[in-house]
């Protein structure tokens, strides 16, 4: 009830404010929206595709990187160092720069045997950058599992790999699902950066529409699409986390 | 003459500058139950962790049925499969049900099929009154139940030696008895056990031999009657006096 009143009050005060007609015309033009939306929606599928493909690679590669960094002992120092340097470098460079370097730089080399499309290299750039971030998330998860858990696993005669695979990682991954989702959302938004390479995705398409109409409604339409996909993602994680908690407390097998 | 179940010879272990174990010699016969008593920090837990190869040792050696398990190049996983250890804090795997906790190592480390591992687990769980908990997750169990599951988890590997590290210290007083009863049962069956404990009454009951650890050495050892009734060393007397004053003996 209070929510309804609040929303009504805000809606009324905004629509009665001086200047609202101008804002409405520039950003919320129904006609422009209807004209541009189908093309933007179609272009948005490119964003979704980049996101889905990149995410699969990121989740796998980042886990591998995090595991490398958690290996103990002096024997694994070179691998740990390599993984650390990778994470430091690619978290340090602005994403947009990596996209330029790979999307323009590498394609200019005309390397034989690798695809030369901006879409491919844009996606690779996102994978490279987000793998660095996500590996840090995984690593925090691995470190949050108390060493006594690994000791218990090893004491039963499990190998180091088995202890990691069956005891440490399942607990680590469960704990980092919410921060992982945050990075998912960041990635979904950053798919728009691939537009800089000339790939026509939703953002690029809306730019085209804006240029044609001198009206900003297409930007709002694009924003709406991004929100529509990230919000369910957020709710899904909440649900996953809650389900996991409930399942452990209810003491039932799924 | 057959080799003892466990022989510890001249064991030394330091953490940085702190020398925790300063030359431990101890042998256990098959089916023998030895209790380690001593103040906190006397090295009881470290000794058990060394035997299970969870801590590398600095000097000395440990022989399991005659085999030097501290020799370089030894397969630690194979050795550990034959030595069970139960920890003070249970250390059950919280993301697994009781059944999964108990079957994980038999399946992955011993290579048992799922059916074999489950059958073995069910038999053990039934024996220790835990059948109705098999599908529960650890955080739904009482401390006493969790610790009994931890014991079952160790037993599922059918170890020839069981190490118990203050297994009742984290339990509410009313839950201690159920865990001690399990251990008594194992002792009666002839399980070889090395037990670090603060439960003096229990040690007197169950142990064939009691060792008093003080500052990293075994200061005094003998049958429980002798240690508890007529300790020879002043330090042992002092320790037991404090235990009596605390109402624990």
């Amino acid at each position: 009830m209070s929510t309804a009143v609040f929303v009504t009050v805000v809606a009324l005060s905004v629509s009665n404010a001086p200047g609202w007609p101008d804002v409405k015309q520039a950003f919320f033009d129904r006609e422009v929206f209807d004209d541009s939306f189908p093309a933007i929606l179609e272009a948005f599928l490119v964003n979704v595709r980049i996101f889905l493909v990149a995410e699969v690679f990121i989740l796998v590669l980042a886990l591998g990187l995090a595991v490398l960094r958690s290996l103990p002992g002096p024997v694994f120092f070179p691998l740990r160092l390599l993984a650390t340097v990778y994470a430091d470098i690619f978290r340090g460079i602005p994403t947009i720069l990596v996209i330029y370097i790979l999307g323009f730089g590498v394609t200019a080399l005309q390397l034989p045997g690798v695809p030369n499309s901006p879409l491919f290299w844009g996606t690779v750039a996102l994978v490279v950058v987000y793998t660095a971030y996500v590996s840090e998330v995984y690593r925090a998860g691995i470190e949050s599992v108390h060493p006594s858990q690994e000791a218990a696993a090893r004491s039963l005669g499990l190998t180091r790999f088995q202890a990691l695979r069956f005891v440490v990682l399942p607990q680590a991954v469960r704990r980092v699902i919410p921060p992982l989702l945050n990075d998912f959302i960041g990635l979904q938004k950053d798919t728009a950066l691939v537009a800089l390479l000339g790939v026509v995705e939703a953002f690029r398409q809306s730019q085209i529409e804006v240029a044609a109409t001198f009206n900003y409604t297409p930007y709002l339409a694009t924003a709406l699409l991004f929100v529509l996909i990230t919000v369910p993602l957020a709710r899904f994680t909440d649900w996953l986390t809650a389900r996991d908690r409930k399942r452990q407390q209810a003491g039932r097998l799924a | 003459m057959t080799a003892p179940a466990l022989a510890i010879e001249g064991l030394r272990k330091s953490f940085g500058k702190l020398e925790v174990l300063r030359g431990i010699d101890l042998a256990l016969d098959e089916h023998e139950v030895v209790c380690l008593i001593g103040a906190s920090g006397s090295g009881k837990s470290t000794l058990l962790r060394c035997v299970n190869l969870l801590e590398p040792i600095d000097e000395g050696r440990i022989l399991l049925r005659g085999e030097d398990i501290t020799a370089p190049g030894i397969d630690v996983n194979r050795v550990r499969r034959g030595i069970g250890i139960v920890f003070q804090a249970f250390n059950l795997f919280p993301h697994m049900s009781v059944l999964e906790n108990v079957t994980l190592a038999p399946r992955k480390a011993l290579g048992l099929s799922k059916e074999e591992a489950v059958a073995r687990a069910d038999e053990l769980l039934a024996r220790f009154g835990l059948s109705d908990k098999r599908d529960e997750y650890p955080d739904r169990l009482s401390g006493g139940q969790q610790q009994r599951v931890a014991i079952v988890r160790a037993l599922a590997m059918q170890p020839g030696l069981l190490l118990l590290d203050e297994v009742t210290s984290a339990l509410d007083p009313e839950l201690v008895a159920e865990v001690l009863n399990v251990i008594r049962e194992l002792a009666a069956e002839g399980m070889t056990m090395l037990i670090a404990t603060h439960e003096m009454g229990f040690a007197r009951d169950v142990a064939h031999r009691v060792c008093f650890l003080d500052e990293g050495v075994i200061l005094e050892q003998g049958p429980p009657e002798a240690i508890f009734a007529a300790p020879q060393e002043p330090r042992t007397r002092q320790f037991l006096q404090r235990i009596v004053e605390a109402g624990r003996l």
Side-chain angles (χ1 to χ4, degrees):
Chain A
M1 184 59 201
S2 63
T3 318
V5 171
F6 178 76
V7 170
T8 314
V9 168
V10 171
L12 284 175
S13 52
V14 167
S15 57
N16 288 327
W20 168 245
D22 291 343
V23 173
K24 190 181 173 202
Q25 212 218 329
F27 288 99
F28 301 100
D29 191 309
R30 183 60 198 255
E31 209 174 306
V32 175
F33 182 87
D34 287 347
D35 284 348
S36 62
F37 192 72
I40 293 175
L41 181 63
E42 205 188 320
F44 188 66
L45 293 179
V46 176
N47 294 79
V48 174
R49 245 174 59 209
I50 296 173
F51 169 75
L52 290 176
V53 171
E55 194 59 57
V56 171
F57 282 99
I58 291 164
L59 285 173
V60 174
L61 294 175
L63 186 61
L65 202 64
V67 167
L68 284 187
R69 286 188 77 174
S70 73
L71 292 175
V75 184
F76 295 109
F77 178 74
L79 284 176
R80 275 205 304 276
L81 183 71
L82 199 72
T84 309
V85 167
Y86 177 91
D88 284 353
I89 288 181
F90 286 104
R91 280 187 309 157
I93 306 178
T95 310
I96 195 168
L97 211 56
V98 178
I99 286 179
Y100 267 59
I101 291 169
L102 291 180
F104 291 128
V106 175
T107 47
L109 296 177
Q110 305 272 355
L111 294 173
V114 289
N116 231 354
S117 83
L119 181 61
F120 174 82
W121 285 105
T123 308
V124 169
L126 289 175
V127 169
V128 163
V129 169
Y130 272 86
T131 293
Y133 280 102
V134 171
S135 79
E136 283 299 300
V137 172
Y138 276 132
R139 193 167 71 105
I142 290 172
E143 282 175 3
S144 79
V145 177
H146 197 271
S148 64
Q149 284 287 308
E150 196 190 345
R154 298 300 308 273
S155 79
L156 289 162
L158 295 176
T159 63
R160 176 174 289 156
F161 175 78
Q162 287 173 325
L164 192 69
R165 160 80 181 75
F166 298 111
V167 174
V168 178
L169 286 184
Q171 296 184 58
V173 170
R174 256 162 245 232
R175 280 178 209 182
V176 299
I177 287 176
L180 273 183
L181 188 92
N182 260 331
D183 283 344
F184 277 31
I185 292 171
L187 173 68
Q188 169 59 15
K189 294 192 300 179
D190 278 356
T191 55
L193 291 172
V194 178
L196 298 164
L197 300 175
V199 175
V200 179
E201 45 66 73
F203 169 56
R204 184 83 190 143
Q205 183 61 38
S206 62
Q207 279 185 315
I208 295 168
E209 303 282 349
V210 168
T213 58
F214 299 108
N215 185 288
Y216 300 109
T217 304
Y219 285 154
L220 264 289
T222 307
L224 181 70
L225 284 173
F226 276 100
V227 170
L228 279 181
I229 204 153
T230 50
V231 168
L233 217 54
R235 291 296 88 81
F236 175 64
T237 315
D238 292 349
W239 178 78
L240 268 185
T241 314
R243 189 194 64 167
D244 210 53
R245 197 168 40 225
K246 221 186 302 175
R247 199 200 291 171
Q248 282 198 13
Q249 281 166 1
R252 298 247 180 285
L253 282 166
Chain B
M1 197 190 113
T2 54
L6 175 73
I8 300 167
E9 298 173 355
L11 173 58
R12 284 175 177 271
K13 170 71 186 173
S14 303
F15 292 106
K17 286 201 144 161
L18 180 70
E19 193 167 34
V20 180
L21 300 176
R22 299 184 302 137
I24 299 277
D25 292 284
L26 177 66
L28 268 75
D29 288 328
E30 297 286 354
H31 314 303
E32 196 181 13
V33 176
V34 171
C35 280
L36 301 168
I37 62 169
S40 299
S42 58
K44 304 187 296 289
S45 293
T46 307
L47 178 57
L48 296 185
R49 291 176 66 89
C50 285
V51 171
N52 201 36
L53 309 181
L54 287 170
E55 298 287 353
I57 66 172
D58 298 333
E59 260 181 64
R61 52 182 204 155
I62 301 171
L63 297 115
L64 188 67
R65 300 196 169 77
E67 184 192 11
D68 184 356
I69 59 173
T70 48
I74 196 94
D75 180 355
V76 296
N77 299 316
R78 177 179 60 79
V79 171
R80 289 189 187 124
R81 289 199 287 269
I83 305 175
I85 185 165
V86 182
F87 303 94
Q88 180 177 347
F90 329 139
N91 298 356
L92 293 178
F93 307 130
H95 60 300
M96 294 183 184
S97 69
V98 165
L99 187 68
E100 290 165 330
N101 263 279
V102 176
T103 53
L104 176 70
R107 289 178 63 189
K108 304 301 174 187
L110 295 180
L112 260 56
S113 73
K114 189 176 177 188
E115 291 71 29
E116 290 170 314
V118 168
R120 191 186 273 193
D122 277 337
E123 195 189 316
L124 284 167
L125 290 170
R127 226 179 89 196
F128 295 109
L130 291 162
S131 289
D132 57 327
K133 304 295 176 196
R134 83 197 276 270
D135 296 326
E136 297 275 11
Y137 282 82
D139 63 358
R140 293 273 297 169
L141 305 180
S142 73
Q145 289 165 343
Q146 289 192 51
Q147 195 57 294
R148 284 188 288 148
V149 171
I151 293 172
V152 165
R153 181 174 71 176
L155 291 176
M157 295 296 287
Q158 302 182 334
L161 169 67
L162 194 59
L163 311 172
L164 303 172
D165 187 6
E166 296 187 25
V167 292
T168 58
S169 295
L171 296 177
D172 292 336
E174 76 272 19
L175 301 176
V176 168
E178 62 180 270
V179 172
L180 293 185
N181 286 337
V182 168
I183 302 169
R184 282 198 182 90
E185 211 183 308
L186 294 175
E189 279 170 20
M191 175 66 81
T192 311
M193 288 189 280
L194 184 55
I195 305 173
T197 185
H198 285 300
E199 303 285 340
M200 297 305 149
F202 166 74
R204 191 162 54 183
D205 261 19
V206 80
H208 300 119
R209 186 154 43 113
V210 174
C211 297
F212 175 63
L213 240 75
D214 187 58
E215 293 183 344
V217 295
I218 295 176
L219 200 60
E220 185 169 0
Q221 58 176 309
E225 314 82 65
I227 296 286
F228 289 116
Q232 300 301 305
E233 297 285 334
R235 300 274 301 177
T236 318
R237 278 203 291 275
Q238 206 178 27
F239 172 74
L240 291 173
Q241 185 59 38
R242 283 205 301 272
I243 297 281
V244 171
E245 280 164 10
R248 300 295 289 267
L249 183 66

